[in-house]
């Protein structure tokens, strides 16, 4: 699906409204958060959304994330649904989605999983990465495994890394693996295993780097790069961003982060069905 520019802008503004409400809850309850990933790039490079982008990500240290999850549904009220694998067995991603009730954001994966997903923003927990090299590799490997199994259990429609014949083969294998994983593992077992490993280094006094364990093979960030968060302007509003947003962007995207990519690489998550209610 290709967005009509007016539809894309409407989606962005709905997501901005969700972010404002989440920001309000965090400020009132002294919960630390920061804009993450492409939302930081958009804030610094464009002053708001990346023009073709369609989502908002925020990160939280694990302790703050746990506090947010515990209170968010009550604080945000009946207009929202706070979804994560602990309260929604149809959600595969090991983090939280704050969704606006009455909206629909449907793609192949959520439809196959039976996940009634609305327009959302993602709330990502940051955990410590073990300071021991051997334990770090194990932590990354295990989190990647359990997150992958979570995706496979919920849906056979997995985004594969290749196109053409190889991509078609990968899709067939994922579809077969979906039925196998669903028979062997319960959602509760996968969630518990992932959570145990993700949190395993949070008591490591020598740990210096933070990582969203759902993306366990990604680059980790020095804690001082992310914390304490600093004010950042996004769509004319003040929110919070990483302590060193430029360093974060250089680490995530490289030295060319401030250059626009070619048009064929300007991707988003355009769903097969989008309803604003």
């Amino acid at each position: 699906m290709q967005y009509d520019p007016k539809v894309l802008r409407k989606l962005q503004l709905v997501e901005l409204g969700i972010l404002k409400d989440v920001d309000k809850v965090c400020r009132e309850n002294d919960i630390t958060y920061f804009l993450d990933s492409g939302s930081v790039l958009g804030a610094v490079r464009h002053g708001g959304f990346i023009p073709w982008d369609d989502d908002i990500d925020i990160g939280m240290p694990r302790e703050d994330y746990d506090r947010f999850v515990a209170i968010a549904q009550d604080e945000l009220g009946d207009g929202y649904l706070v979804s994560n694998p602990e309260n929604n067995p149809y959600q595969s991603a090991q983090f939280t989605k704050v969704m606006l009730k009455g909206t629909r954001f449907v793609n192949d994966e959520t439809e196959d999983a039976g996940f009634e997903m609305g327009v959302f923003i993602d709330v990502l927990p940051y955990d410590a990465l073990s300071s021991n090299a051997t334990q770090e590799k194990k932590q990354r490997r295990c989190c990647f495994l359990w997150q992958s199994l979570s995706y496979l259990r919920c849906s056979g429609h997995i985004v594969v890394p290749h196109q053409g014949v190889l991509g078609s083969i990968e899709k067939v294998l994922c579809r077969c693996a979906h039925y196998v994983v669903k028979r062997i593992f319960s959602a509760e077992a996968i969630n518990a295993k992932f959570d145990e490993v993700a949190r395993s280094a949070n008591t490591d006094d020598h740990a210096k780097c933070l990582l969203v364990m759902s993306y366990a093979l990604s680059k980790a960030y020095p804690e001082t790069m992310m914390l304490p968060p600093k004010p950042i302007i996004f769509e004319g509003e003040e929110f919070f961003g990483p302590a060193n947003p430029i360093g974060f962007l250089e680490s995530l995207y490289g030295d060319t982060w401030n250059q626009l990519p070619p048009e064929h690489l300007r991707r988003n998550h355009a769903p097969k069905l989008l309803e604003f209610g």
Side-chain angles (χ1 to χ4, degrees):
M1 168 181 168
Q2 294 294 324
Y3 283 114
D4 177 279
K6 291 182 179 179
V7 173
L8 175 58
R9 187 56 182 163
K10 184 175 182 179
L11 174 60
Q12 291 174 342
L13 293 177
V14 171
E15 293 171 345
L16 180 63
I18 301 173
L19 176 61
K20 288 180 181 180
D21 287 340
V22 169
D23 171 77
K24 183 174 183 289
V25 170
C26 291
R27 289 177 188 266
E28 291 178 348
N29 292 277
D30 197 26
I31 292 174
T32 297
Y33 84 90
F34 43 83
L35 294 182
D36 201 356
S37 305
S39 299
V40 182
L41 179 59
V44 175
R45 193 171 68 189
H46 303 278
F49 283 95
I50 297 171
W52 56 88
D53 201 10
D54 60 357
D55 71 347
I56 292 177
D57 297 314
I58 67 173
M60 295 180 180
R62 173 64 75 169
E63 183 177 350
D64 293 272
Y65 174 86
D66 287 342
R67 290 176 53 221
F68 176 80
V69 169
I71 67 171
Q73 188 63 74
D74 289 338
E75 292 286 321
L76 289 168
D78 292 338
Y80 288 102
L81 182 63
V82 180
S83 173
N84 52 59
E86 284 67 43
N87 62 26
N88 184 353
Y90 304 107
Q91 180 178 322
S92 56
Q94 297 289 322
F95 45 80
T96 290
K97 291 179 176 290
V98 177
M99 302 184 295
L100 184 64
K101 285 186 179 179
T103 63
R104 298 182 71 196
F105 192 103
V106 180
N107 56 35
D108 287 333
E109 292 84 357
T110 58
E111 188 173 54
D112 193 36
F115 179 15
E116 293 290 333
M117 188 166 73
V119 175
F120 64 93
I121 71 170
D122 285 331
V123 183
L124 310 169
Y126 271 77
D127 289 290
L129 195 62
S130 176
S131 60
N132 179 280
T134 302
Q135 290 300 316
E136 175 194 338
K137 290 179 181 178
K138 181 179 178 181
Q139 188 181 12
R140 286 179 179 271
R141 184 174 63 248
C142 289
C143 283
F144 176 77
L145 169 65
W146 292 114
Q147 177 63 93
S148 298
L149 290 175
S150 182
Y151 284 130
L152 283 171
R153 186 188 182 281
C154 286
S155 174
H157 289 283
I158 303 298
V159 177
V160 296
H162 300 98
Q163 302 292 324
V165 175
L166 180 56
S168 298
I169 294 173
E170 290 172 339
K171 289 178 180 178
V172 171
L173 292 175
C174 286
R175 194 69 183 168
C176 295
H178 164 63
Y179 293 107
V180 174
V181 172
K182 197 169 184 178
R183 280 183 170 272
I184 296 176
F185 297 100
S186 68
E188 294 79 10
I190 291 175
N191 298 340
K193 288 291 187 181
F194 177 90
D195 199 56
E196 177 185 359
V197 181
R199 297 170 180 264
S200 61
N202 287 346
T203 56
D204 181 351
D205 293 335
H206 300 288
K208 301 297 183 184
C209 291
L210 300 174
L211 181 64
V212 178
M213 295 299 171
S214 290
Y215 306 107
L217 302 186
S218 301
K219 183 179 294 185
Y221 306 106
E223 183 175 347
T224 53
M225 182 180 287
M226 311 305 291
L227 301 172
K230 291 184 178 179
I232 194 169
I233 301 300
F234 185 87
E235 295 291 334
E237 304 278 348
E238 183 181 279
F239 298 102
F240 288 100
N244 180 1
I246 302 302
F248 172 78
L249 292 173
E250 290 175 345
S251 181
L252 181 58
Y253 298 109
D255 294 338
T256 61
W257 66 267
N258 205 25
Q259 300 176 18
L260 293 181
E263 287 194 16
H264 70 280
L265 294 179
R266 298 178 186 182
R267 301 181 179 130
N268 52 42
H269 307 85
K272 62 192 296 184
L273 177 64
L274 177 63
E275 294 180 355
F276 292 104

